[in-house]
């Protein structure tokens, strides 16, 4: 099964390290993977953030993969399930060209025109910055005003801040977004970066690093041999169902195929 490891202790920097597994549901047709919002470790992350107080939780990535996007959606859904008006604010997209699409920027009071309802219970807002508006998004004061004034009616806001590494094309650097968040969770893939790279990423966060409540290691991009073979066996279901089921059972009984490197 795809999964993640959540860490939440503290080292000398105050940065997180306890271990659990975050189950992921995979749709093999589209290979779309989602974190289960009801998983115990999603609950632990959510409660850790809630214990710090505040209403704005930022999820930042560190390295390749979609770990931060998956985690942000799961935390927004968990918040909405509690009956709290929740917004998932996506600030991870790169600067795009000028078009006729309805756009908003911090301070223009048109933000409500772009908010959409998500079937998972929360509302969504995506920042689509162009060259003429990008500096308004990068204005830390304007970003805080957006969260505290224009979006004041939400009791919880989860921000998908994108990745701290390789964000040259991002409309808003993840480190800037982190300064506007009251709590931060970092997500990455095991083996995707060295310890010194992780420490450099924490340094990039600056003062916001003291508000980090944990680190999530997402293994979705690091499948075991057993997971990959079962996924291939599932493709036979349509044409050779008996063979597909027999092969899947055989694979499930070979524990060595499920060990992670």
């Amino acid at each position: 099964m795809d999964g993640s490891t959540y860490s939440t202790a503290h080292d000398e920097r105050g940065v997180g390290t306890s271990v659990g597994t975050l189950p992921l549901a995979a749709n093999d047709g589209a290979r779309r993977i989602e974190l289960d919002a009801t998983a115990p470790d999603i609950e632990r992350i959510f409660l850790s953030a809630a214990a710090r107080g505040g209403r704005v939780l930022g999820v930042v990535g560190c390295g390749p993969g979609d770990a931060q996007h998956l985690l942000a959606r799961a935390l927004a859904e968990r918040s909405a399930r509690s009956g709290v008006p929740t917004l998932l604010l996506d600030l991870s997209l790169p600067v795009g060209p000028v078009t006729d699409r309805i756009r908003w920027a911090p301070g223009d009071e048109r933000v409500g025109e772009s908010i959409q309802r998500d079937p998972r219970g929360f509302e969504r807002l995506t920042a689509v910055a162009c060259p003429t508006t990008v500096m308004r998004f990068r204005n830390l004061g304007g970003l805080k005003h957006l969260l505290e004034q224009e979006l004041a009616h939400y009791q919880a806001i989860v921000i998908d801040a994108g990745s701290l590494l390789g964000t040259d094309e991002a409309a808003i650097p993840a480190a800037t977004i982190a300064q506007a968040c009251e709590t931060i969770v970092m997500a990455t893939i095991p083996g995707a970066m060295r310890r010194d790279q992780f420490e450099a990423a924490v340094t990039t966060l600056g003062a916001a690093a003291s508000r980090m409540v944990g680190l999530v290691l997402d293994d979705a991009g690091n499948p075991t041999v057993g997971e990959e073979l079962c996924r291939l066996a599932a493709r036979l279901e349509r044409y050779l169902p008996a063979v597909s089921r027999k092969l899947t059972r055989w694979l499930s009984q070979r524990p060595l195929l499920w060990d992670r490197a």
Side-chain angles (χ1 to χ4, degrees), residues 199-214:
E199 292 177 346
V202 172
T203 300
T204 300
L205 286 174
S210 65
R211 300 193 289 275
M212 190 185 300
V213 297

Side-chain angles (χ1 to χ4, degrees), residues 109-260:
E109 305 299 333
R110 292 189 298 117
V111 65
E113 299 175 16
S114 298
I115 293 175
Q116 299 178 325
R117 184 72 180 173
D118 190 281
R120 286 164 288 194
F122 53 87
E123 294 188 336
R124 302 177 67 109
L125 176 63
T126 301
V128 184
C130 65
T132 59
T133 63
V134 64
M135 290 306 169
R136 293 176 63 183
F137 283 100
R138 290 177 179 172
N139 181 313
L140 184 56
L143 190 56
K144 289 182 176 180
H145 180 271
L146 169 72
L147 298 170
E148 297 168 4
Q149 301 297 324
E150 297 175 77
L151 300 174
H153 58 287
Y154 290 102
Q155 293 183 32
I157 298 176
V158 178
I159 301 181
D160 181 348
S163 179
L164 284 165
L165 304 179
T167 57
D168 293 343
E169 297 181 357
I172 319 171
T176 298
I177 299 169
Q179 305 305 314
C181 299
E182 292 151 310
T183 310
I184 300 167
V185 177
M186 184 181 288
T188 190
I189 297 174
M193 63 177 179
R194 303 185 305 272
R195 179 181 177 86
D196 61 319
Q197 292 175 312
F198 170 69
E199 292 177 346
V202 172
T203 300
T204 300
L205 286 174
S210 65
R211 300 193 289 275
M212 190 185 300
V213 297
L215 169 68
V216 173
L217 301 177
D218 176 27
D219 276 347
N222 182 33
T224 64
V225 173
E227 289 168 352
E228 283 293 279
L229 291 177
C230 278
R231 182 171 64 86
L232 294 174
R235 294 182 178 180
L236 298 174
E237 177 69 27
R238 180 177 178 182
Y239 307 102
L240 299 168
V243 173
S244 175
R245 289 193 291 270
K246 184 176 181 179
L247 181 56
T248 299
R249 283 197 300 271
W250 185 87
L251 291 168
S252 67
Q253 296 168 2
R254 301 296 183 275
L256 287 178
L257 296 178
W258 299 86
D259 286 344
R260 293 194 183 276

Side-chain angles (χ1 to χ4, degrees), residues 23-40:
L24 295 148
N27 177 338
D28 283 327
R31 196 53 184 162
R32 181 183 179 186
I33 299 174
E34 297 285 350
L35 283 174
D36 181 359
T38 65

